[in-house]
Amino acid sequence: MSLPIPLPEPAHGGEAVPARRLRGGTAVLASLAVVAGTALLGVAAGLCWAAVAPRAWLVMTGPGAAAVINPETNAFIAADAAFCLVCLAGGVVSGLLAYRFAVRRHGPLAMAALVAGALAAAFVARWVGEQSGLATFRHLLATLPAGAHLRDSLTLGTAGALAFWPLAACLVAGGLEMLSGPGRHRAGRSKGGAAALLSGD
């Protein structure tokens, strides 16, 4: 008399759901970290812009009023150029970091987070830079006598400069993904083929 041999129960498709949910939650958390971290870089970028950007000289013309001493000064253009350079540097740094820690693992979601964070960082850098020293400027403007000289406050003249940060970040992260993506995909296919041969499928 032969005893029946118990067969293993077939795997249920629902068992893979917790793993997928875990991967999805990790991708969301990584993307949120990319947005927050990139936006925080905007604070440092704004302080850097305020430190290096030139400011035009003003002369007090009356109580609370001042005029540019040299109307042909290039300080305003140079300040905008400095902001563009700071944003380019910030975009390169954030693109490298985001690719290293998020984009290459979580793909499009992390890339979208990088774009959002980079745009936020550009606005943060603009606000921080323009607010830096603004209170002192307003105090001097209200108290200095006519004929006194003072430096102008920092203001970004062109809104188009805000695009430099997300553009640089996308070019860096996207370029790295394009360079390393094919190699990773080929390696994945090779591992899959080797596993199939070993299992006899």
Side-chain angles (χ1 to χ4, degrees):
M1 179 177 179
S2 61
L3 296 176
I5 300 175
L7 298 176
E9 294 183 2
H12 299 288
E15 295 176 357
V17 173
R20 288 198 298 269
R21 287 179 179 173
L22 181 61
R23 287 194 297 269
T26 303
V28 171
L29 289 176
S31 300
L32 291 176
V34 168
V35 174
T38 307
L40 283 176
L41 281 177
V43 177
L47 294 175
C48 182
W49 178 45
V52 302
R55 293 170 172 80
W57 278 104
L58 306 179
V59 58
M60 296 294 298
T61 58
V68 179
I69 294 178
N70 180 15
E72 298 181 356
T73 180
N74 61 356
F76 302 109
I77 297 176
D80 287 356
F83 183 84
C84 293
L85 291 176
V86 168
C87 282
L88 283 174
V92 170
V93 172
S94 58
L96 287 171
L97 293 176
Y99 174 78
R100 172 66 178 80
F101 294 106
V103 173
R104 69 174 183 173
R105 290 186 177 92
H106 306 295
L109 182 61
M111 193 69 179
L114 174 60
V115 175
L119 190 58
F123 279 98
V124 169
R126 175 183 183 176
W127 186 84
V128 170
E130 291 181 345
Q131 294 299 314
S132 180
L134 183 59
T136 301
F137 170 76
R138 288 174 175 171
H139 174 73
L140 293 175
L141 193 64
T143 57
L144 286 178
H149 293 178
L150 72 158
R151 291 277 192 180
D152 195 5
S153 61
L154 187 60
T155 303
L156 184 64
T158 172
L162 296 169
F164 278 78
W165 195 308
L167 180 61
C170 289
L171 286 176
V172 170
L176 289 173
E177 180 64 18
M178 288 180 63
L179 290 174
S180 62
R184 290 207 311 269
H185 298 324
R186 285 195 297 269
R189 287 196 298 268
S190 298
K191 291 180 180 178
L197 288 174
L198 291 174
S199 63
D201 295 340

